[in-house]
Amino acid sequence: MGAGAFAVLAANSTHGSPEQTAASYFTSWRRGDVPAMRRLVHRAPDDFAQRHTSLSATLRVDAIELTPGALRMTGDDSAEVPFSGRRKLRDLGWWDFQSTLRLAVRESTWQVIWAPETLHPLLKDNGILELATVEGPTVELVTAEGDRLPEDNYAEHYLGKLSAAYPVKSGTALQVIMPDDSTRVLLSKAPKTKPHKTTLSRPVQAAAARALDGVTDAAIVAIRSSTGEILAVADRLADGDKAFSTLFPPGSTFKTVVAAALMQTGLSTSDLVECPGRYQIPGFRPFDNAGGTDRGSITFTESFAHSCNTTFVEQATTRLEPEEFTEAVSQWGFRGVQLPTGAGGVCGQMRVPEDMNWFGSDVIGQGSVQATPLCMAMVAAAVESGVWRSPRLLPGDEAANQEGAPPADVPLDEGLAEGLREMMRAVVEYGTGAESGLPEGTAGKTGTAEVEEQKDHGWFIGYRDDVAFCVFVRNGGSGRSAAVPIAARFLQGM
């Protein structure tokens, strides 16, 4: 063979193999020998070494593991090796990734065709990997029993407010800044938390949440009558409104408070009263019963059970002066009382009636009367226990320590409390809440509140076995049709 022919063959020969180059590259990478890696790369960028060392320093990488897959030929002079990798981040532990090492014949030698995504796919197109500081609570709020709260509990707003009162600690997150400047968290390690009990009861909270599944714009609040502990709050109210802080006209549930004011004037549950279909305050406007029903002469208990508007308007406007009425209902929290639950809250409000039309509207839970669902649950709790108490979401004095002292307890006269219990039992036994699936032993009061140019609000308040509750359905229709079925599901679910 001549010297010229030998020179041509030598020029066309390829040095090494893709397997050898890939193996050498992975070995050098594992060792952290960046100069050796660079020698295997075709036209390595000037910042090749800096990219490797900077990424390891930024992410605080203590170790790396690389596991090559099978080499695939992608052409006569090109190949690729898919591989899996693990980086051990000092703050976050092991972090897995998948990438590909590409190779090609360049200058008669198998070389690595390197790109930033060889280090990690998310570095393509100038993506940035970085560690960020994240803050997290030092406590995990749990139920009174020490259990985790049910999933989809509809109490998230209140739990968030409770958590905000506790210190936060810093944790670490691994995140990527994408080419479009969006940020995505890949791995995080929140600060360690300690369980911290609330007053919420797991079975009661679960029953309240499941009773609202499929129901929009509604809320349930449940309270242990004997202590004021909030056992459940399931809140699906829309438009940012909340069961602890948003005021609504309570409709006929307010007759519970009015009945107490009337009994303080000497009216008893067995006294006969008139329940005409319409009653007109002398010189002022008329008030009607639902459907114009005329029940004639009935007991005061029966008028409450059937929610006779006309009875209550006549009795209140003839037995009480507006100032006396306002003072009587203020004892139930209807004076803008703030409630230090741990997550805030208010009760109700009512202004002194300026005329008899206004007075009559207030009596049936319209006019200037407004209340939160929390407040109306408190009314039911006070009837069952005989004491109006400020509610709380945290054990002991924690809520008071965070938000200030609660309003003082208001004991009810025992005879008055027993009269209210008799009346609320009658609602379920034969009144507006009868034959509606409520469990035996339930006492309550329905309420339907008119809303201008909108559908009525539906209410039902009640109690059973030391659990007082309020169900509120905004623009849901009558209390019997909208709220009572939810209350039945709730009580049956506990």
Side-chain angles (χ1 to χ4, degrees), residues 281 287 313 317 353 355-366:
I281 301 173
F287 289 84
V313 172
T317 57
D355 59 35
M356 299 304 285
N357 288 336
W358 185 340
F359 192 174
S361 293
D362 285 344
V363 167
I364 58 174
Q366 302 283 165

Side-chain angles (χ1 to χ4, degrees), residues 68-111:
L71 181 142
R72 297 191 296 260
M73 296 299 299
T74 56
D76 291 340
D77 56 0
S78 61
E80 63 181 22
V81 181
F83 67 94
S84 58
R86 299 177 73 205
R87 289 183 172 93
K88 188 175 184 180
L89 311 187
R90 189 174 309 153
D91 301 309
L92 296 169
W94 286 104
W95 174 46
D96 297 344
F97 68 100
Q98 305 286 328
S99 192
T100 301
L101 184 71
R102 291 179 171 82
L103 305 106
V105 176
R106 295 291 186 268
E107 300 171 359
S108 301
T109 303
W110 279 98
Q111 299 182 40

Side-chain angles (χ1 to χ4, degrees), residues 141-142 144 162 166 196-200 229 341 392-401:
L141 297 172
V142 297
L162 289 178
Y166 295 96
H196 193 85
K197 289 184 179 181
T198 65
T199 62
L200 297 175
E229 295 168 298
T341 64
R392 53 190 170 83
L393 272 166
L394 293 170
D397 296 327
E398 285 189 62
N401 292 338

Side-chain angles (χ1 to χ4, degrees), residues 2-88:
F6 180 82
V8 170
L9 285 174
N12 289 334
S13 65
T14 300
H15 298 292
S17 69
E19 291 86 355
Q20 292 172 334
T21 300
S24 296
Y25 191 85
F26 284 122
T27 297
S28 299
W29 193 354
R30 292 187 191 99
R31 292 174 177 170
D33 189 348
V34 178
M37 295 164 64
R38 183 187 181 94
R39 287 193 292 270
L40 297 169
V41 174
H42 176 68
R43 295 183 181 176
D46 293 340
D47 62 352
F48 177 84
Q50 190 270 336
R51 281 179 178 267
H52 284 74
T53 56
S54 176
L55 182 66
S56 293
T58 298
L59 302 188
R60 296 198 274 273
V61 178
D62 286 338
I64 188 168
E65 293 181 358
L66 303 167
T67 305
L71 181 142
R72 297 191 296 260
M73 296 299 299
T74 56
D76 291 340
D77 56 0
S78 61
E80 63 181 22
V81 181
F83 67 94
S84 58
R86 299 177 73 205
R87 289 183 172 93
K88 188 175 184 180

